[in-house]
Amino acid sequence: MLFSYQVVSLAASSLLPLLTPGRHDQRWTAAGAAALAAGGFTVLAAAPALPVVACTPLGLGGGACLVLTLSFQSRRAGNSGEAAALAGMAQSIGYLVAAASCTTPPRAGHSPSPSWPS
């Protein structure tokens, strides 16, 4: 399933810049990508026996969101120094959120992995 997700995500991230050249307002594109990803998660939650069906919209949405994220950073910056600072800040915050989610206490009904130190 991971391979199918990666193939679809690669196709989406490769084709999105070709399909949206010169668009200054990317809000609808971002909303569509988020809706695709949400739809994939919904299919995965509603029908776990159909992972390939869920991986297609997840890959399309994920690939598009990645390209949009990188393009939003470069469009917001005025020069290369600002682009580097903005990308560094965004990555730092992203890694901080990821690290914090690994150290939160288990939620009700969920236990930590036996190989993960508590």
Side-chain angles (χ1 to χ4, degrees), residues 17-113:
L18 300 174
L19 298 175
T20 59
R23 279 195 183 166
H24 295 291
D25 187 9
Q26 301 260 334
R27 288 182 286 188
W28 287 105
T29 308
L36 278 170
F41 281 119
T42 303
V43 170
L44 195 58
L50 300 172
V52 174
V53 175
C55 282
T56 302
L58 275 171
L60 288 171
C65 284
L66 175 65
V67 170
L68 287 169
T69 301
L70 297 173
S71 69
F72 289 160
Q73 289 177 6
S74 65
R75 286 180 188 243
R76 171 104 27 204
N79 57 37
S80 61
E82 287 180 12
L86 186 59
M89 181 193 66
Q91 289 178 9
S92 298
I93 292 172
Y95 283 122
L96 181 65
V97 169
S101 67
C102 290
T103 60
T104 56
R107 296 179 306 267
H110 298 279
S111 61
S113 171

